[in-house]
Amino acid sequence: MTTAVLSIAMLWLQDAATDPAAMPPVTKAHSSALLDMLHNSGPMALTVLVLLLVMSLFSWAVMIAKWRAFNDADTQNKRFVRAFRKSGRLSEIAAVADQFRPSPLVSVFHEITDEYQRQSGGRGTPPNPAALERSAQTASSEALTIMESRMTWLATIAQVAPFVGLFGTVMGIIDAFHGLGTAGAATLRAVAPGISEALITTAAGLVVAVPALMGYNQLTARLREFASRMDDFGRELLNAIENAALTAPQALVNEQRPLDPRDDRRPY
């Protein structure tokens, strides 16, 4: 196909050299040239361009929606962590945890505390800490699955759009050679429409694919950050539960310890 494009370019140069009037005016605006290419495009090229336009609009809609959702989740994550670290009891933070949605940390918190309630009623040392860890991993996986929705469309568009544009390029080259055969002479007028279709569909495919690929990479990086934060928060919550379980029995023993008869202090 590259050889074919070079051949057509040589024909264009030869025709322009022999016919200076065939050269486009230098002062012609770029937008007018683009409109002319669109006007000269055939049904196949227009179909490809419309398909690429739909893919571009959908990819931008997904990227904007995901970026806003991730920003909201990040803001609520920070607020929830601050509230969690300031609170002294799990029951207090559980009562207000739903106020911090759509933070994915809320799902991790509820999953771990629910498992803790099932094991020991929310008091004492959990008999099966491994189950709490599995609950945290399950909650993190479910939250990430929800956040990853429609992300595969970005990857698909980034990979498919160049091939859709290439299809339009191939059809434009075929149309250009068909024009050569119909005209019976190697002139610029015969191949210009096909070249226009080939160039505009190729450029459109790249314009659609590049933003989709960049958006997918950026959003994927943010998803990895959310996954790390959920893992860190799960470990922090498990540590808080274990520390509370260890300190509670000691405080109870101190309260119930009998009074030493040798102690001069007496209750009033």
Side-chain angles (χ1 to χ4, degrees), residues 93-208:
I93 193 63
V96 297
D98 290 334
Q99 298 178 5
F100 299 97
R101 293 188 181 276
S103 170
L105 301 183
V106 175
S107 301
V108 177
F109 175 83
H110 282 314
E111 191 69 25
I112 294 177
T113 53
D114 289 346
E115 179 64 24
Y116 183 44
Q117 288 287 339
R118 287 191 291 267
Q119 288 189 17
S120 60
R123 293 184 179 182
T125 303
N128 190 3
L132 296 180
E133 295 179 1
R134 288 192 295 269
S135 298
Q137 294 174 358
T138 300
S140 299
S141 178
E142 292 176 352
L144 282 178
T145 301
I146 295 175
M147 299 179 73
E148 288 175 350
S149 61
R150 297 192 302 274
M151 286 285 293
T152 54
W153 283 105
L154 290 180
T156 302
I157 291 174
Q159 294 178 355
V160 170
F163 292 100
V164 175
L166 182 61
F167 173 76
T169 301
V170 172
M171 297 305 298
I173 296 298
I174 292 175
D175 187 44
F177 280 106
H178 179 71
L180 287 175
T182 303
T187 61
L188 182 62
R189 294 179 181 274
V191 299
I195 295 176
S196 299
E197 293 181 15
L199 294 177
I200 197 171
T201 53
T202 302
L206 295 176
V207 168
V208 174

Side-chain angles (χ1 to χ4, degrees), residues 169-250:
T169 301
V170 172
M171 297 305 298
I173 296 298
I174 292 175
D175 187 44
F177 280 106
H178 179 71
L180 287 175
T182 303
T187 61
L188 182 62
R189 294 179 181 274
V191 299
I195 295 176
S196 299
E197 293 181 15
L199 294 177
I200 197 171
T201 53
T202 302
L206 295 176
V207 168
V208 174
V210 171
L213 179 60
M214 295 177 63
Y216 176 79
N217 290 336
Q218 292 296 322
L219 293 174
T220 301
R222 297 199 66 181
L223 282 173
R224 288 195 295 265
E225 293 178 1
F226 280 114
S228 299
R229 291 181 183 179
M230 283 188 283
D231 292 340
D232 294 340
F233 176 76
R235 287 189 289 266
E236 183 177 354
L237 179 56
L238 293 176
N239 290 337
I241 292 175
E242 291 178 357
N243 292 335
L246 292 176
T247 57
Q250 184 63 34

Side-chain angles (χ1 to χ4, degrees), residues 32-106:
S32 299
L34 182 61
L35 292 176
D36 289 340
M37 283 193 295
L38 291 174
H39 179 73
N40 294 329
S41 298
M44 182 61 66
L46 292 177
T47 301
V48 171
L49 291 175
V50 170
L51 179 60
L52 290 173
L53 177 61
V54 173
M55 294 169 64
S56 178
L57 293 176
F58 183 76
S59 65
W60 277 104
V62 172
M63 286 187 290
I64 293 174
K66 286 297 179 182
W67 199 263
R68 289 179 177 177
F70 288 179
N71 286 338
D72 292 341
D74 185 56
T75 301
Q76 295 299 327
N77 276 350
K78 296 176 180 178
R79 293 180 57 194
F80 180 70
V81 170
R82 285 197 299 267
F84 172 77
R85 291 173 179 173
K86 289 180 180 179
S87 178
R89 297 181 179 179
L90 294 179
S91 57
E92 295 177 358
I93 193 63
V96 297
D98 290 334
Q99 298 178 5
F100 299 97
R101 293 188 181 276
S103 170
L105 301 183
V106 175

